[in-house]
Amino acid sequence: MEPFKEHKGIAVPLNRGNVDTDQIIPKQFLKRIERTGFGEFLFFHWRFDDDGNLRDEFVLNQPKYENATILLAGDNFGCGSSREHAPWALEDYGFKVIIAPDFADIFYNNSLKNGILVIKMNEEQVQQWMKKAEQGLTLDVDLEKQEITDTDGTVVSFDIPPYHKEKLLNGWDDIALTLLEEDAIQAFEEKRA
Amino acid sequence: MGKALTAFEKIWNKHVVKEEEGKPALLYIDQHLVHEVTSPQAFEGLRLNGRKVRRPDLTFATMDHNVPTINRENMKDEISIKQMEALKKNCADFGVKLADMYHPDQGIVHVIGPQLGLTQPGKTIVCGDSHTSTHGAFGAFAFGIGTSEVEHVLATQTIWQDKPKTLNVKVIGDLGTGVTAKDLILAIIAKFGVRFGTGYVMEYTGEAIRKLTMEERMTICNMSIEAGARAGLISPDETTVEFLRGREMVPKGEAFDALAEEWLALATDEDAEYDHTVTIHADEIEPQVSWGTNPGMCVPVSAATPVIKDAEYPEEVERALKYMDLNENQPITSIEVDHVFIGSCTNSRLSDLKKASKIVEGKKVKEGIKAIVVPGSFLVKQQAEEIGLDKIFIDAGFEWRNSGCSMCLGMNDDIVPAGGRCASTSNRNFEGRQGNGARTHLVSPEMAAAAAIEGHFVDVRQFVGVPS
């Protein structure tokens, strides 16, 4: 995993609550056995109509958000199915940061495992940024300092569990870390046997 | 005497490999269930890093999400075939036991775990599927994980977990006649919302829960994830023990009795405290029907769809009604369906099929409705056939299929077409869940069966044929 230290990018507002992973990546794309290439299927039925044409009204299809890398989302984002194809699709599409009042917890974990910085931020602030994003908003997210600086220079701090922060900053592989605990795991197994 | 503990806390304490203040705990996993859709990338990760499966003996795989329910021998979908073959090869290469789609133990992963007795009280159970919460019905700590975590568990037999908080969902009183476990869980989610469980293990308690069979308890715990919960749980009792007695993967004789003692001791202590408690009155619950695009959008069958301006989130209600092609304040019983699906990890067990068969016996599915029954496993199908349920369904005009996840998520050919409307015993009514543009109404098996006969939703309690 690439270390995540700081990211500056255009924010796109997806102002809906309870966006489920079936919307983020529909089931017909879960048959692939690879981990890559899911970006083109992101929000598939919201981005494309039944004939495969872009739906102009969907926010991701608006030219001003074409290069957006920060997703502003509603409450309980990523609820439903545990499919990790959802963060794979978001990451492959180009998203580095997702900011929402709250996330579904499997999705939250899955995102962190893929180097996406998921930030829980109070609803008022998210709504304020969503409004600003309609006119164009660039956010500078500094994980080390746990600060987000918006276009006006306003600085907002955010929380993240220290454990997740450390892993993201270093790009650590979870499994390699756990394998350092081999003695403890073995001792546990022996004690129970 | 130590501190009074909840069942969840007892299980948690027995599985901590390592714990440090301010960090997630490293938790040992007793049972890892694997299926074809969320595992290929995990096995590939092991291969790329030269790692092996640490405990193949604690890992069990099946094929369920993607398998056809008819013409299994003549699969056409090349990508699906590739996914099945990948699982077969991965299981062979890494020494994992597999019930492939022709195996007598095949079925929906959350049906076969309990059926085989792999699911037991006190176990930590994970699977790359959010409905792993089902197994909590046995007093296990069971939760869904993503593919990276699947790989992690395969490699280390452990997982890093923040300790969830505890939520007591206290069910007061008894369920009325014709009101099912499905109605209870739908009513709970409708009342408290689709995110009230986030960060919690939800334990269901109260008289009504104690009276439920294991299959009913599984229906309840199954949908805990639809309330956002990390896991659902019901304390083990004699009902749990008797369900597991004699199952293939549980010890026999005295060893079983000793184990049963341990299981019963896991039940939540009388004075245990929860982080939060909510209550619901079972006797006030009617049969439920979902009208919208998340499982919290659900009302009693005697009610109507919401009035937009009166709703807490009018925009959400308006968007959902539009997707569902319903009017506001439209009576639920006026909604006509063209598909009926009886199946899924929520409601595809033998007792579900028995109850639905009672409703349709001697009647005919309304013309123009495509109705299918998909048993949860090979064994459920076989047992149903032994008592003639297949004949009852087929005579009524249902299709009788082979086991799998099927129309719950439509990864195989069992799809509701765009604009189609389905009375479904599954767990999710998300936009496009059963097929792009499809509209899903979540109901109990009895309600689905009655809708198949009448062509629209009816209160099953008034439906001719309900045993009194």
Side-chain angles (χ1 to χ4, degrees):
Chain A
M1 202 166 80
E2 288 285 307
F4 186 113
K5 301 211 185 288
E6 192 180 355
H7 175 76
K8 190 173 180 179
I10 297 169
V12 55
L14 184 65
N15 198 4
R16 295 188 188 192
N18 304 317
V19 170
D20 59 78
T21 54
D22 273 79
Q23 308 315 314
I24 298 172
I25 180 95
K27 74 304 197 84
Q28 64 268 37
F29 306 114
L30 308 185
K31 295 177 184 176
R32 305 170 74 249
I33 58 173
E34 300 82 17
R35 204 181 261 262
T36 52
F38 288 97
E40 57 182 303
F41 312 123
L42 179 72
F43 292 118
F44 192 78
H45 296 299
W46 288 357
R47 276 166 66 209
F48 303 100
D49 67 18
D50 296 347
D51 302 321
N53 302 311
L54 282 176
R55 294 182 194 269
D56 293 337
E57 73 280 11
F58 184 57
V59 70
L60 285 191
N61 292 339
Q62 295 170 17
K64 60 181 170 181
Y65 299 121
E66 201 182 341
N67 297 312
T69 53
I70 298 176
L71 183 67
L72 299 169
D75 202 5
N76 200 27
F77 187 76
C79 60
S81 157
S82 61
R83 58 189 71 168
E84 197 163 313
H85 311 71
W88 292 339
L90 287 158
E91 197 263 345
D92 191 50
Y93 186 86
F95 285 111
K96 307 277 186 213
V97 180
I98 310 173
I99 305 173
D102 205 2
F103 296 88
D105 81 346
I106 303 177
F107 177 82
Y108 183 84
N109 285 332
N110 285 345
S111 297
L112 289 167
K113 306 263 183 223
N114 289 279
I116 300 175
L117 175 56
V118 272
I119 299 176
K120 294 181 192 177
M121 179 61 66
N122 69 74
E123 180 135 28
E124 206 179 323
Q125 183 62 61
V126 176
Q127 283 301 328
Q128 213 181 87
W129 279 334
M130 285 209 189
K131 278 214 178 68
K132 278 191 181 176
E134 286 169 20
Q135 308 307 318
L137 174 69
T138 301
L139 295 175
D140 189 345
V141 182
D142 186 330
L143 177 58
E144 189 95 58
K145 291 186 189 157
Q146 294 181 223
E147 282 176 0
I148 303 172
T149 310
D150 81 7
T151 320
D152 316 335
T154 317
V155 181
V156 176
S157 63
F158 64 89
D159 288 332
I160 179 166
Y163 165 83
H164 291 315
K165 178 178 173 178
E166 193 183 8
K167 277 205 308 183
L168 281 170
L169 284 172
N170 293 290
W172 280 336
D173 169 12
D174 238 6
I175 298 176
L177 280 184
T178 309
L179 289 173
L180 299 174
E181 311 290 345
E182 172 62 25
D183 289 351
I185 299 171
Q186 211 172 330
F188 182 90
E189 284 178 332
E190 281 164 11
K191 198 177 83 197
R192 297 217 318 172
Chain B
M1 283 289 283
K3 183 177 175 281
L5 296 172
T6 64
F8 161 69
E9 289 165 324
K10 294 181 195 181
I11 300 165
W12 176 273
N13 292 345
K14 284 179 200 276
H15 289 85
V16 174
V17 174
K18 190 185 171 176
E19 202 168 21
E20 277 177 63
E21 185 73 26
K23 286 188 178 176
L26 188 62
L27 211 62
Y28 198 78
I29 297 303
D30 296 322
Q31 183 65 55
H32 187 187
L33 302 168
V34 172
H35 65 84
E36 76 277 21
V37 176
T38 58
S39 68
Q41 296 87 350
F43 283 111
E44 195 53 28
L46 293 182
R47 249 184 221 110
L48 290 172
N49 291 289
R51 290 169 179 150
K52 56 187 178 81
V53 174
R54 184 185 174 87
R55 295 293 300 265
D57 56 322
L58 302 181
T59 312
F60 189 93
T62 192
M63 298 172 175
D64 57 2
H65 279 63
N66 206 346
V67 298
T69 56
I70 38 172
N71 300 325
R72 203 161 273 190
E73 292 73 17
N74 299 307
M75 274 185 77
K76 299 259 185 318
D77 181 350
E78 291 298 329
I79 313 174
S80 293
I81 293 170
K82 214 170 139 190
Q83 198 169 56
M84 309 293 186
E85 281 173 356
L87 183 63
K88 220 164 153 178
K89 178 171 174 14
N90 288 333
C91 289
D93 288 359
F94 289 92
V96 172
K97 202 170 171 193
L98 167 70
D100 72 12
M101 64 177 151
Y102 308 109
H103 193 282
D105 289 335
Q106 186 271 347
I108 303 174
V109 67
H110 309 309
V111 174
I112 63 171
Q115 177 184 295
L116 289 167
L118 287 169
T119 306
Q120 294 172 15
K123 279 191 178 182
T124 47
I125 303 174
V126 295
C127 172
D129 188 276
S130 60
H131 291 110
T132 307
S133 58
T134 311
H135 308 265
F138 290 79
F141 177 40
F143 52 97
I145 57 178
T147 299
S148 294
E149 290 176 318
V150 169
E151 185 180 337
H152 189 280
V153 175
L154 289 172
T156 70
Q157 203 58 35
T158 62
I159 196 165
W160 294 98
Q161 279 289 296
D162 286 311
K163 189 175 179 180
K165 292 178 284 183
T166 53
L167 171 62
N168 177 11
V169 180
K170 201 171 173 182
V171 185
I172 294 168
D174 288 327
L175 290 170
T177 307
V179 184
T180 68
K182 180 65 165 287
D183 300 308
L184 173 57
I185 188 62
L186 286 173
I188 289 170
I189 300 166
K191 181 169 178 180
F192 301 110
V194 291
R195 45 193 176 237
F196 88 106
T198 306
Y200 288 98
V201 170
M202 287 166 69
E203 182 176 349
Y204 303 89
T205 64
E207 269 301 286
I209 299 295
R210 287 293 133 219
K211 287 180 187 165
L212 297 177
T213 65
M214 285 316 297
E215 300 201 342
E216 292 169 326
R217 292 179 190 186
M218 286 187 246
T219 299
I220 303 271
C221 287
N222 172 275
M223 289 192 72
S224 304
I225 182 68
E226 312 312 332
R230 173 96 289 221
L233 188 143
I234 293 174
S235 276
D237 59 13
E238 287 297 338
T239 306
T240 322
V241 171
E242 290 316 311
F243 181 94
L244 288 170
R245 191 186 294 277
R247 304 246 164 208
E248 192 180 333
M249 304 290 189
V250 295
K252 309 282 177 297
E254 281 176 24
F256 180 83
D257 294 335
L259 197 55
E261 286 290 310
E262 284 178 37
W263 291 345
L264 293 172
L266 289 168
T268 290
D269 296 330
E270 208 168 314
D271 301 325
E273 285 173 20
Y274 296 87
D275 293 301
H276 189 54
T277 296
V278 296
T279 54
I280 189 162
H281 290 265
D283 39 21
E284 291 170 9
I285 295 170
E286 286 183 39
Q288 304 283 309
V289 181
S290 77
W291 58 267
T293 53
N294 74 48
M297 294 174 163
C298 200
V299 290
V301 63
S302 64
T305 59
V307 174
I308 294 168
K309 71 174 173 52
D310 298 341
E312 192 181 352
Y313 301 101
E315 278 173 34
E316 267 187 41
V317 169
E318 190 172 5
R319 187 163 49 226
L321 285 172
K322 189 176 168 212
Y323 179 84
M324 293 298 289
D325 193 29
L326 296 171
N327 300 319
E328 57 179 334
N329 201 21
Q330 179 177 344
I332 295 297
T333 49
S334 73
I335 299 170
E336 293 181 358
V337 299
D338 41 54
H339 283 70
V340 172
F341 170 56
I342 298 177
S344 87
C345 58
T346 316
N347 280 128
S348 64
R349 297 178 180 84
L350 188 62
S351 60
D352 296 313
L353 306 189
K354 271 187 197 166
K355 289 172 191 166
S357 74
K358 290 266 193 312
I359 305 289
V360 304
E361 187 161 21
K363 302 194 179 64
K364 291 282 175 205
V365 169
K366 187 98 169 175
E367 211 185 311
I369 292 180
K370 182 184 175 71
I372 69 171
V373 183
V374 182
S377 68
F378 253 125
L379 184 69
V380 169
K381 181 169 186 264
Q382 196 187 346
Q383 289 172 335
E385 287 171 358
E386 278 164 16
I387 55 173
L389 300 190
D390 56 328
K391 196 170 177 314
I392 294 174
F393 282 114
I394 292 166
D395 285 350
F398 279 82
E399 293 177 34
W400 180 252
R401 299 289 189 92
N402 289 305
S403 58
C405 299
S406 182
M407 204 180 264
C408 173
L409 84 167
M411 267 195 79
N412 64 2
D413 293 335
D414 305 339
I415 287 171
V416 178
R421 188 181 295 283
C422 185
S424 179
T425 66
S426 56
N427 40 56
R428 288 188 175 133
N429 49 346
F430 297 150
E431 284 182 28
R433 172 84 178 174
Q434 296 190 290
N436 180 30
R439 299 170 181 128
T440 302
H441 295 273
L442 304 176
V443 286
S444 71
E446 293 90 322
M447 286 287 288
I453 305 301
E454 294 294 312
H456 58 88
F457 291 110
V458 289
D459 187 338
V460 73
R461 293 171 302 179
Q462 287 148 29
F463 193 77
V464 185
V466 174
S468 54

